Amino acid sequence: MSDLLRAPAELKYAEELAWLESIDDNPKPFSWRLSPKMVRLFVLGSERSDGLDREVAQKWFGDRSIVERAIVTLASDRGLLLIGDPGTGKSWLAELLAAAVCRDSTLVVQGTAGTTEDHIKYSWNVSMVIAKGQSRESMIPSPIMTAMESGAIGRFEELTRATSDVQDALISILSEKYISVPELDSDGIVFAKPGFSVIATANSRDRGVNDLSSALKRRFNFVRIPVVTNKKSEAEIVRFRTEELLRRHSIELEVPPTLLDVLLQSFADLRASAAAAGSDDEKLESALSTAEQIGVLEDAVLHGNFFGERTLTARTLASSLVGSLARREPEDLAILNKYLHGVVEPRGKEQGGEWPEFLEGGRDAIATLS
């Protein structure tokens, strides 16, 4: 896996998944590789009460009931729709679930304005069609069709960004559990095997882009992924993902707990300010998600490793925060400048610690961008 930029979950945790499968004596739906209990354990990590010979690390941080409802949905004949704000871990949860259930999380369709029915059904290898005509050999199955044929989990990212024609085609697949191929005289229907299901994700802020029809909504069980508001849980998520980055880059660098607290508190302050804002012009364009916190910290860590003294400093962290969150000029810069002078400066005088250096780094970054 060292030659992969980003290994999918089933490769990254291959040894752990194989071990869990070897000790799993619980009932399994369809052709699942792990039982629902073991899928939950893989995603949420083990506890002492599980009585396992080894520890299984937690990979997704959220409410236990959310994961359980998602697993139960996949064991039914309905699709699973994970919906929530950007950066709440919808795609990561979908990947973990697919990896645990069928050991393949790569059967993915990305929803965009350019996504067509071919992307969720099939297309043709033009050169083979010219040479030999239309046949199953010259057909290129979509990831969804491949999931149907193998009884696996197909994933559809950003469902609300796909057009209504694509959504309508998905209704037929979820309802009938087959895809008709009228171009073929024989063998013209591809049926879904037991175990096939679809995990879709949708951004709750995309409301109005391409609203889901009532018919499509009925084919999905909705599982809402809330924004992480618990500071301890958010710290665990940020630390977990940042440690993964450090391992990937073979970087030996510690993230001081004091700087992690500064990052978490800064995002909490900016979220509170956005909630109290009277108009969109008074809010940062950023969603201020947990994923964006991870991005800020990753940027600061890499900058410190490559261009600093191989340490993470408050100045570098502030520069990364401003650079990542200032997307509109001059609106976002003005909001961040107000935050630095109205919140960070008084806090630095009162508490000291990393805050004065964080203030200076933020000021310098704003001056550079202004």
Side-chain angles (χ1 to χ4, degrees):
M1 290 196 304
S2 60
D3 59 343
L4 299 181
L5 181 61
R6 181 190 179 279
E10 61 270 17
L11 293 182
K12 184 175 183 179
Y13 302 109
E15 191 272 333
E16 183 177 275
L17 286 166
W19 178 74
L20 289 172
E21 187 173 355
S22 71
I23 64 168
D24 190 2
D25 57 2
N26 297 300
K28 302 171 186 175
F30 311 117
S31 57
W32 284 27
R33 300 289 293 271
L34 294 178
S35 66
K37 284 186 177 180
M38 283 299 186
V39 173
R40 182 186 65 187
L41 191 147
F42 171 71
V43 174
L44 294 178
S46 60
E47 300 175 354
R48 184 171 297 178
S49 59
D50 294 317
L52 299 179
D53 295 334
R54 57 182 277 185
E55 181 182 2
V56 176
Q58 186 171 4
K59 302 166 188 67
W60 188 81
F61 296 82
D63 192 276
R64 184 188 190 96
S65 64
I66 291 174
V67 176
E68 290 178 350
R69 184 158 188 263
I71 295 170
V72 168
T73 297
L74 293 177
S76 71
D77 62 349
R78 296 171 65 81
L80 170 63
L81 179 62
L82 302 174
I83 186 167
D85 282 357
T88 48
K90 302 182 297 296
S91 297
W92 179 232
L93 177 57
E95 181 177 340
L96 289 172
L97 290 170
V101 168
C102 62
R103 213 64 67 86
D104 189 353
S105 65
T106 63
L107 301 173
V108 186
V109 174
Q110 182 64 50
T112 68
T115 304
T116 65
E117 284 190 47
D118 291 353
H119 292 113
I120 64 170
K121 289 186 174 180
Y122 58 90
S123 57
W124 298 97
N125 182 320
V126 177
S127 60
M128 287 187 66
V129 169
I130 293 173
K132 301 180 180 179
Q134 290 176 321
S135 65
R136 286 301 299 267
E137 289 72 29
S138 60
M139 189 173 69
I140 303 173
S142 71
I144 300 297
M145 179 182 278
T146 300
M148 294 175 68
E149 290 184 296
S150 56
I153 303 292
R155 295 169 53 203
F156 199 122
E157 290 289 313
E158 304 292 354
L159 181 58
T160 51
R161 292 193 173 274
T163 62
S164 57
D165 290 345
V166 175
Q167 293 183 18
D168 288 346
L170 190 59
I171 292 174
S172 174
I173 292 172
L174 292 173
S175 299
E176 308 301 334
K177 300 294 191 295
Y178 67 79
I179 294 177
S180 176
V181 187
E183 294 92 341
L184 299 181
D185 294 331
S186 61
D187 200 21
I189 297 181
V190 176
F191 292 97
K193 291 184 178 178
F196 166 69
S197 191
V198 173
I199 305 176
T201 64
N203 187 341
S204 55
R205 296 198 177 201
D206 282 344
R207 201 170 295 165
V209 176
N210 288 299
D211 289 335
L212 302 181
S213 67
S214 298
L216 185 55
K217 287 178 180 178
R218 288 197 302 272
R219 271 69 181 183
F220 281 108
N221 271 353
F222 281 57
V223 174
R224 296 193 172 274
I225 311 295
V227 174
V228 179
T229 56
N230 182 280
K231 190 173 180 181
K232 181 181 177 182
S233 297
E234 193 162 46
E236 289 175 338
I237 297 170
V238 175
R239 189 181 295 109
F240 173 76
R241 299 297 279 182
T242 305
E243 286 175 354
E244 283 191 328
L245 169 87
L246 296 177
R247 285 194 297 269
R248 190 190 313 162
H249 289 274
S250 301
I251 296 174
E252 296 182 6
L253 187 151
E254 290 289 329
V255 177
T258 53
L259 287 179
L260 185 57
D261 286 341
V262 167
L263 176 65
L264 293 168
Q265 187 59 56
S266 298
F267 267 71
D269 294 337
L270 291 168
R271 287 168 182 163
S273 175
S279 67
D280 289 341
D281 290 339
E282 298 173 354
K283 300 179 184 178
L284 289 170
E285 190 176 80
S286 164
L288 297 171
S289 66
T290 304
E292 285 169 308
Q293 282 192 70
I294 296 166
V296 168
L297 186 56
E298 288 179 348
D299 180 75
V301 165
L302 291 174
H303 191 279
N305 184 70
F306 296 136
F307 302 111
E309 299 178 357
R310 295 185 179 274
T311 59
L312 178 64
T313 66
R315 181 179 292 273
T316 305
L317 186 64
S319 176
S320 175
L321 183 141
V322 171
S324 298
L325 300 186
R327 299 173 183 176
R328 298 175 301 172
E329 189 180 340
E331 295 91 345
D332 285 350
L333 288 176
I335 293 169
L336 290 169
N337 191 53
K338 181 180 178 181
Y339 167 64
L340 290 173
H341 287 87
V343 178
V344 176
E345 186 173 1
R347 185 178 289 151
K349 292 177 180 178
E350 180 182 341
Q351 300 180 11
E354 305 283 2
W355 289 104
E357 186 180 345
F358 185 79
L359 172 65
E360 291 305 314
R363 282 174 169 171
D364 290 346
I366 289 176
T368 301
L369 294 173
S370 298

